[in-house]
Amino acid sequence: MISKYKCYPLKNFINQIRGVSYKKNQISEKTIDGYIPLLRATNIQNGEIIYQDVLYVDSSLVKLEQKLRKGDILIAASSGSKEVVGKSGQANEDCEYTFGAFCKLIRPKQNINADYLRHFFNTDYYSRTILQSINGANINNLRNEHIDDLMIPIPSLEIQSKIAALLNKTQDVIKCRKAQIDLLDQFTQSIFFEMFGDPETNPNGWEYKKLSEICQNLDSKRVPITSSERKKGIYPYYGASGIVDYVDDYIFDDNLLLVSEDGANLLSRVTPIAFEVKGKIWVNNHAHVLKFEHLSTQRFIKYVINLQDISHLITGSAQPKLNQKNLNSFMVPYPPLELQNEFYEKVEKIEEQRKVFESSLLELENLYHALLQKSFRGELFSEEEVSII
């Protein structure tokens, strides 16, 4: 890694801890006396550890060092998907949670700031190096040496603390913006439930229709582009959970509903799996593309999909997938179009405000990314400045 700070192998500053191995009869989906929660790769989402949707493992299999401590970084170490391997999240406190064998724990030593280390795992250098390390493997495994041999810039602990504080504050603002978006979503959901009831139970007895009866599936027009083949441009490039890049061309120019086709989020539902898009865009093969005759129906169905349990339509465990056949066969309640139009008009202003917040969120995330790269290149703080202070 190129930096004004001197770089050292990461193994000088961490200990790596293997996950818990277990047999089928030593694991449970429900809490049992003598069992403790076990985290998996699916519990690592957007740089954070999600403590819901866990398994439970016999505590006699768990060593003391395999319980999470404050500052520990949990990493997905093995997966059939290269996109999953290497993703990380940090524990905010000591807790009675452990982790499975497909993950590993990075425990910082006393000679490094734990938050500084956490931000290092968000750098382009880290993600790029890990991807290069696992390329070519049929089963993508992150070995100890892949982590140990990473070169990390090491300024003084005082500068590490200043860098961590700056990046933490930026992330705090990002979390606040996300919280505002969540509040808007809760408001629109309350309007939805007031007008239509729970789509799971359909209390108003609306007619049921297959999704394929009320929209056109445009999946055949999708074109995936590998990151190395993409040319930077102004057009959003969408994947399973939203915009993943910007490219120099587009394949759709319309109002559309995109629905996640694969990924752990199909089950964890950390972010919405259905989202509306408009204008010139490119879509890869990780998101279904649906075209509706009426925008009001498009919006109604977006909420139905995001609010309803669709786990029965999802196949695969290591890599959950919602295939086109199952999506097309999804039975949805279909109220009168007049009521759909009324819902659309009620939430339109809220949706417009949400887009403003989303745009602001993107700017904040870009700011964090820029500060992150500059921090580890040594372009924000110098040892001389700190000594003067």
Side-chain angles (χ1 to χ4, degrees):
M1 186 176 196
I2 299 175
S3 175
K4 293 180 181 178
Y5 304 133
K6 190 171 181 179
C7 296
Y8 300 87
L10 189 57
K11 63 184 177 183
N12 295 345
F13 307 94
I14 63 168
N15 290 312
Q16 295 193 52
I17 300 169
R18 294 178 57 187
V20 178
S21 297
Y22 51 85
K23 297 178 181 178
K24 286 186 178 180
N25 63 350
Q26 296 170 319
I27 201 77
S28 171
E29 294 184 356
K30 297 180 180 180
T31 180
I32 300 177
D33 287 344
Y35 281 51
I36 67 171
L38 178 135
L39 301 166
R40 298 164 290 169
T42 53
N43 296 105
I44 307 172
Q45 296 284 340
N46 300 320
E48 296 184 358
I49 298 175
I50 308 300
Y51 294 94
Q52 292 81 39
D53 189 27
V54 299
L55 295 178
Y56 297 86
V57 68
D58 188 336
S59 59
S60 66
L61 301 175
V62 183
K63 299 176 182 177
L64 181 61
E65 67 176 9
Q66 291 174 316
K67 294 182 180 181
L68 269 67
R69 302 176 190 171
K70 183 177 181 179
D72 285 349
I73 296 172
L74 185 66
I75 292 184
S78 182
S79 173
S81 171
K82 291 180 180 178
E83 294 181 356
V84 173
V85 175
K87 66 177 183 175
S88 64
Q90 187 180 49
N92 296 322
E93 59 184 0
D94 296 351
C95 55
E96 287 292 308
Y97 280 76
T98 189
F99 55 101
F102 285 177
C103 293
K104 65 171 57 189
L105 205 65
I106 307 300
R107 180 158 290 158
K109 297 179 180 179
Q110 295 297 317
N111 58 353
I112 192 169
N113 181 288
D115 280 348
Y116 178 82
L117 178 63
R118 172 173 64 86
H119 291 295
F120 172 74
F121 283 98
N122 293 333
T123 61
D124 289 342
Y125 164 76
Y126 166 73
S127 56
R128 184 176 62 251
T129 305
I130 293 305
L131 182 60
Q132 291 172 350
S133 299
I134 64 174
N135 257 340
N138 292 325
I139 299 177
N140 307 300
N141 294 313
L142 193 57
R143 299 194 297 270
N144 279 3
E145 58 265 31
H146 293 151
I147 298 294
D148 282 342
D149 294 343
L150 289 168
M151 299 300 291
I152 181 171
I154 298 293
S156 66
L157 283 171
E158 187 173 0
I159 286 186
Q160 291 180 38
S161 179
K162 288 172 70 69
I163 289 173
L166 174 64
L167 296 176
N168 286 349
K169 285 180 181 179
T170 308
Q171 286 192 324
D172 287 343
V173 177
I174 289 173
K175 288 180 181 179
C176 286
R177 181 63 78 226
K178 288 181 177 179
Q180 290 175 313
I181 293 173
D182 287 343
L183 285 173
L184 289 179
D185 288 342
Q186 291 173 28
F187 186 35
T188 51
Q189 287 175 21
S190 67
I191 296 174
F192 180 95
F193 281 117
E194 183 180 343
M195 293 185 65
F196 304 110
D198 187 345
E200 291 276 359
T201 57
N202 188 20
N204 295 301
W206 309 119
E207 175 189 6
Y208 278 98
K209 290 188 177 184
K210 286 185 179 180
L211 194 58
S212 59
E213 295 181 79
I214 55 178
C215 69
Q216 180 184 3
N217 189 298
L218 304 180
D219 285 1
S220 61
K221 296 184 178 181
R222 302 176 302 179
V223 181
I225 317 174
T226 62
S227 56
S228 61
E229 295 175 336
R230 292 175 209 155
K231 296 180 179 179
K232 292 292 182 180
I234 62 172
Y235 304 109
Y237 180 83
Y238 282 91
S241 298
I243 298 173
V244 295
D245 206 347
Y246 287 85
V247 293
D248 67 340
D249 203 355
Y250 61 92
I251 54 177
F252 297 103
D253 185 6
D254 211 337
N255 287 285
L256 301 166
L257 183 68
L258 303 187
V259 181
S260 303
E261 179 169 347
D262 50 33
N265 189 56
L266 281 172
L267 296 175
S268 64
R269 307 296 280 270
V270 174
T271 59
I273 64 170
F275 44 99
E276 294 178 279
V277 296
K278 179 181 179 181
K280 297 178 173 65
I281 63 168
W282 198 292
V283 184
N284 67 21
N285 57 356
H286 295 291
H288 295 291
V289 183
L290 306 181
K291 168 68 177 174
F292 292 81
E293 182 180 356
H294 304 286
L295 287 179
S296 55
T297 302
Q298 174 179 295
R299 182 157 296 166
F300 171 75
I301 294 299
K302 179 187 76 170
Y303 281 93
V304 170
I305 293 175
N306 286 331
L307 293 173
Q308 195 162 338
D309 179 13
I310 61 166
S311 57
H312 62 288
L313 301 174
I314 297 171
T315 59
S317 54
Q319 180 67 1
K321 184 177 180 66
L322 173 61
N323 62 45
Q324 185 184 129
K325 179 181 178 181
N326 287 350
L327 179 63
N328 288 343
S329 65
F330 181 37
M331 300 298 293
V332 298
Y334 193 79
L337 184 59
E338 294 79 8
L339 199 59
Q340 296 178 36
N341 291 338
E342 183 181 342
F343 173 70
Y344 182 90
E345 292 172 1
K346 281 187 175 182
V347 302
E348 179 61 13
K349 290 185 178 180
I350 304 173
E351 292 284 349
E352 288 176 358
Q353 183 61 57
R354 191 184 195 281
K355 290 176 182 177
V356 172
F357 284 167
E358 284 181 332
S359 178
S360 171
L361 176 61
L362 180 60
E363 291 177 0
L364 288 168
E365 289 174 336
N366 288 338
L367 173 62
Y368 169 77
H369 188 75
L371 291 173
L372 179 70
Q373 308 312 318
K374 288 183 178 181
S375 294
F376 284 91
R377 288 199 298 260
E379 297 175 2
L380 293 185
F381 303 106
S382 70
E383 299 288 358
E384 291 78 11
E385 289 173 341
V386 173
S387 63
I388 292 172
I389 295 173

